[in-house]
């Protein structure tokens, strides 16, 4: 679980000025998202590259 | 007058072609209706003078025998993040409130080529990043079916305009449901084409790999006619596909009776308000009566899809807005700023993990669709909420309105499949309910044929909202 202090460090590293009260409001949403994204690692994606467009539809129909 | 403003493009174009209806008369009737319904706040900018000039040009051309096709002389409005040469394009924001593009978006070029009359720019959720169209800079847009209710979003002005008879067509954009949600909540048709079918050149991005452009109309046939005009490859948008564009209107006459339709079960069924559930069940009975073979199917990994899609939209939107979020945070509304800031706390590896999951899901979704003409589900699990309402009851618990409204539509953007929302009845307080059909990639023709068959068997697309109060 991330903490407000973690977010403050990230903000400082990336040059983002944001009030602590705003970080406190964002924290539960980010922790929920981080947990969801962590679980995605359990899916069979190790051999896959990222998909940014559906171009493969066109390619598969051309074959 | 009321009858004229509620006619479809297909009906109007027949009269315009023969000279029975003047584009100038049609435009003036629609402009009067826009003025009468100003309280809905469906438009940010109305380009009345330019539209009058275009309507006169259309009338002259048609009189000379130079009829261009079914959009010639038809008033069309545009979500106000689609660039229009010489007409401000605000994106519903304070930051771009005075921006005047020097060129048209690709879809606007195509509409002009088709002879459409550009009526104005529709209200939207700030930068299209939300589903209420409760805009902090331009005020809330109101749902014609209940003026204290949201029209949905982010293309909320488009949905409200088409529902209230302020022109038969608006173009919207859909990144996580933003065409289909307002279509459902306003009782009109909303089509999100296959990713890559329609150019996004000149459309302000929310999320490069999720954004789609498509029409909101009052009938499925009109959606087909508009898609015909705007679809096709564009070298200025590398995501567009080189596929030829079929005749979508002719495709409506294709018999789809006996085709298999997958009914999305599992999470789609479990979390639905009672009024939406009853309309959905009635819609399934209609489909069954039309001869469709209905089979329960499950969308692959819906929870994982939602999580990955959320990561992608947050990261990409934050990248689009990074400079302004750092330098001008006070110029955003609070809900938009919170979302954009969340994206700044995602790592590159988290974003790429989400895109790898997308690669997995693309294959699974294609496999799911292959045997079916379409899948069917509700568009939203609840009807329109009140303006300003934050939470809504769903399956016995309180959930955020944004999460509820995007729950059944966002997944489809992530896999780029075409989808359409059509009216399927009315729920609590007489508010519209939408039915979503999802099609195979690049097979909008079959998707439209299925949706058209349902539409023609039901009366819902013929219902009209009451006139709004004179002084909202």
């Amino acid at each position: 679980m991330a903490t407000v202090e973690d977010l403050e460090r990230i903000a400082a590293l990336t040059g983002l000025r944001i009030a602590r009260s705003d970080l406190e409001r964002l924290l539960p949403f980010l922790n929920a998202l981080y947990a969801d994204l962590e679980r995605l690692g359990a899916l069979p994606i190790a051999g896959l590259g990222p998909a940014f467009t559906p171009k493969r539809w066109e390619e598969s129909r051309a074959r | 007058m009321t009858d004229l403003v509620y006619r479809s493009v297909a009906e109007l174009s027949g009269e315009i072609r023969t000279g029975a209806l003047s584009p100038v008369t049609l435009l003036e009737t629609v402009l009067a209706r826009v003025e009468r319904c100003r309280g809905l706040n469906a438009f940010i900018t109305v380009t009345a003078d330019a539209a009058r000039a275009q309507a006169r040009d259309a009338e002259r051309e048609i009189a000379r025998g130079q009829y261009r096709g079914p959009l010639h002389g038809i008033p069309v409005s545009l979500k106000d993040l689609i660039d229009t040469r010489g007409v401000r394009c605000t994106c519903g924001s304070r930051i771009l409130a005075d921006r005047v593009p020097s060129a048209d978006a690709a879809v606007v070029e195509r509409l002009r080529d088709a002879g459409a009359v550009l009526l104005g720019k529709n209200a939207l959720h700030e930068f299209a990043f939300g589903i209420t169209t409760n805009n902090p800079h331009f005020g809330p847009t109101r749902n014609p079916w209940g003026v204290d209710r949201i029209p949905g979003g982010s293309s909320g002005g488009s949905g409200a305009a088409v529902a209230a008879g302020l022109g038969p067509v608006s173009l919207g954009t859909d990144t996580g449901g933003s065409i289909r949600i307002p279509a459902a909540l306003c009782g009109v048709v909303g089509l999100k084409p296959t990713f890559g079918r329609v150019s996004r050149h000149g459309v302000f991005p929310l999320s490069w790999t999720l954004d789609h452009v498509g029409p909101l109309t009052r009938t499925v046939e009109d959606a087909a006619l508009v898609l015909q005009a705007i679809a096709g490859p564009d070298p200025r948008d590398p995501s567009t596909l080189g596929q030829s564009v079929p005749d979508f209107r002719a495709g409506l006459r294709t018999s789809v009776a006996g085709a298999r339709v997958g009914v999305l079960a599992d999470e789609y069924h479990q979390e639905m308000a009672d009024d939406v559930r009853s309309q959905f069940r009635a819609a399934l009975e209609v489909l069954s009566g039309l001869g469709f073979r209905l089979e329960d199917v499950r969308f692959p990994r819906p929870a994982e899809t939602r999580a990955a899609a959320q990561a992608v939209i947050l990261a990409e939107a934050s990248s689009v807005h990074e400079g302004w979020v750092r330098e001008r945070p006070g110029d955003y509304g609070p809900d938009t700023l919170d979302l954009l800031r969340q994206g700044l706390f995602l790592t590159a590896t988290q974003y790429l993990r989400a895109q790898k999951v997308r690669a997995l899901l693309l294959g699974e979704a294609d496999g799911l669709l292959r045997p079916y003409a379409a899948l069917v589900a509700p568009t939203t699990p609840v009807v329109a909420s009140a303006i300003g309402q934050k939470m809504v009851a769903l399956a016995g618990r309180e959930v955020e309105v944004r999460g509820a409204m995007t729950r059944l539509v966002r997944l489809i953007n992530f896999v780029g499949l075409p989808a359409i929302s059509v009216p399927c009845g009315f729920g609590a307080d007489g508010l519209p309910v939408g039915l979503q059909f999802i099609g195979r990639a690049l097979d909008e023709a079959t998707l439209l044929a299925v949706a058209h068959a349902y539409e023609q068997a039901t009366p819902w697309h013929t219902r009209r909202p009451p006139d709004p109060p004179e002084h909202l």
Side-chain angles (χ1 to χ4, degrees):
Chain A
M1 295 280 281
T3 64
V4 172
E5 289 71 27
D6 293 331
L7 298 185
E8 283 182 323
R9 279 191 287 274
I10 295 169
L13 279 170
T14 57
L16 181 65
R17 292 189 305 277
I18 181 167
R20 184 179 175 90
S21 59
D22 289 341
L23 292 175
E24 287 171 343
R25 190 174 61 255
L26 298 183
L27 185 65
F29 297 102
L30 284 169
N31 270 327
L33 182 60
Y34 291 158
D36 286 343
L37 293 175
E38 189 66 29
R39 280 191 286 276
L40 296 184
L43 297 176
I45 57 172
L48 296 176
F52 296 114
T53 79
K55 279 281 188 183
R56 60 182 185 75
W57 289 329
E58 196 169 29
E59 290 160 4
S60 65
R61 283 174 183 228
R63 277 199 291 269
Chain B
M1 167 176 159
T2 302
D3 175 56
L4 189 59
V5 298
Y6 279 116
R7 282 187 214 164
S8 68
V9 173
E11 293 168 329
L12 293 167
S13 63
E15 296 182 44
I16 288 173
R17 180 176 196 162
T18 61
L21 175 62
S22 154
V24 175
T25 302
L26 174 60
L27 175 69
E28 292 298 341
T29 307
V30 171
L31 286 172
R33 180 76 178 164
V34 169
E35 181 61 25
R36 166 66 183 83
C37 297
R38 275 177 66 180
L40 295 176
N41 201 24
F43 282 82
I44 289 177
T45 303
V46 178
T47 53
D49 290 341
R52 287 184 173 112
Q54 292 166 33
R56 286 193 297 269
D57 288 347
E59 189 169 73
R60 279 192 291 267
E61 283 188 5
I62 293 164
R64 288 198 299 263
Q66 297 167 328
Y67 182 69
R68 300 193 195 190
L71 295 186
H72 203 174
I74 299 293
V76 173
S77 56
L78 307 161
K79 186 177 184 177
D80 197 25
L81 50 52
I82 299 173
D83 276 359
T84 38
R85 184 183 64 240
V87 176
R88 72 170 179 161
C89 185
T90 69
C91 298
S93 71
R94 177 183 294 165
I95 289 171
L96 297 178
D98 300 316
R99 173 175 168 268
V100 178
S102 58
D104 284 330
V107 287
V108 177
E109 292 173 348
R110 293 188 181 202
L111 288 174
R112 288 190 198 276
D113 289 345
V117 172
L118 302 181
L119 179 62
K121 307 298 291 290
N122 291 123
L124 67 158
H125 203 103
E126 183 182 25
F127 282 115
F129 210 175
I131 56 84
T132 66
T133 316
N134 188 2
N135 190 299
H137 314 296
F138 296 93
T141 299
R142 299 176 182 278
N143 190 319
W145 290 96
V147 294
D148 61 336
R149 304 296 181 120
I150 63 169
S154 60
S155 311
S158 299
V162 173
L166 318 183
V169 177
S170 177
L171 287 192
T173 60
D174 192 320
T175 305
S178 286
I179 288 173
R180 290 159 290 159
I181 294 169
L185 301 194
C186 293
V188 299
V189 173
L191 171 64
K192 182 194 84 62
T194 308
F195 186 87
R197 179 66 93 182
V198 176
S199 172
R200 290 111 30 106
H201 174 75
V203 178
F204 194 86
L206 174 58
S207 175
W208 298 287
T209 73
L210 294 168
D211 291 343
H212 302 65
V213 179
L216 291 97
T217 58
R218 286 193 290 272
T219 68
V220 174
E221 183 178 25
D222 284 2
L225 291 172
V226 178
L227 180 62
Q228 197 76 52
I230 63 174
D234 177 5
R236 298 165 298 180
D237 178 355
S239 74
T240 52
L241 303 165
Q243 297 281 334
S244 61
V245 179
D247 184 336
F248 296 116
R249 189 185 209 178
L252 298 179
R253 293 191 290 272
T254 305
S255 174
V256 284
R260 294 168 71 187
V261 169
V263 181
L264 282 167
D266 201 17
E267 289 195 15
Y268 274 85
H269 273 186
Q270 290 167 18
E271 299 195 354
M272 203 185 309
D274 289 343
D275 55 344
V276 173
R277 188 188 306 277
S278 66
Q279 295 303 320
F280 181 56
R281 284 180 174 159
L284 295 182
E285 288 179 19
V286 171
L287 289 169
S288 186
L290 286 168
F292 289 106
R293 291 181 288 151
L294 305 183
E295 302 168 22
D296 275 0
V297 297
R298 283 174 162 65
F299 194 88
R301 314 176 196 277
E304 292 87 347
T305 307
R306 271 191 284 273
Q310 176 77 347
V312 168
I313 192 172
L314 287 175
E316 294 187 3
S318 296
S319 177
V320 171
H321 288 266
E322 183 178 1
W324 291 328
V325 171
R326 290 177 185 277
E327 303 301 327
R328 303 176 61 176
D331 287 339
Y332 287 97
D335 62 330
T336 303
L337 181 62
D338 271 2
L339 289 169
L340 293 171
R341 280 175 159 169
Q342 286 178 47
L344 296 177
F345 288 94
L346 289 171
T347 67
T349 49
Q350 285 172 319
Y351 170 76
L352 289 169
R353 181 185 299 164
Q355 291 285 22
K356 288 168 73 174
V357 170
R358 191 181 211 180
L360 175 71
L361 292 165
L362 284 169
E364 293 181 343
D366 266 2
L368 173 67
L369 259 295
R370 198 166 297 128
Y372 297 104
L375 307 182
V376 64
T379 307
T380 62
V382 291
V383 296
S385 52
I387 293 171
Q389 184 178 341
K390 302 287 186 198
M391 307 295 284
V392 63
L394 189 59
R397 61 192 179 95
E398 291 286 308
V399 298
E400 282 193 300
V401 169
R402 180 173 182 271
M405 293 296 183
T406 58
R407 187 168 187 78
L408 308 181
V409 286
R410 174 183 288 180
L411 300 82
I412 311 309
N413 294 71
F414 201 53
V415 291
L417 298 172
I420 188 169
S421 181
V422 297
C424 80
F426 294 85
D429 300 321
L431 295 165
V433 175
L435 184 69
Q436 178 182 208
F437 292 100
I438 301 150
R440 294 183 292 251
L442 292 167
D443 193 7
E444 290 92 348
T446 301
L447 174 70
L448 288 161
V450 173
H452 186 250
Y454 170 79
E455 176 193 69
Q456 294 303 303
T458 56
W460 310 121
H461 63 291
T462 66
R463 302 290 171 85
R464 307 294 172 234
D467 280 349
E470 293 276 1
H471 303 291
L472 271 176

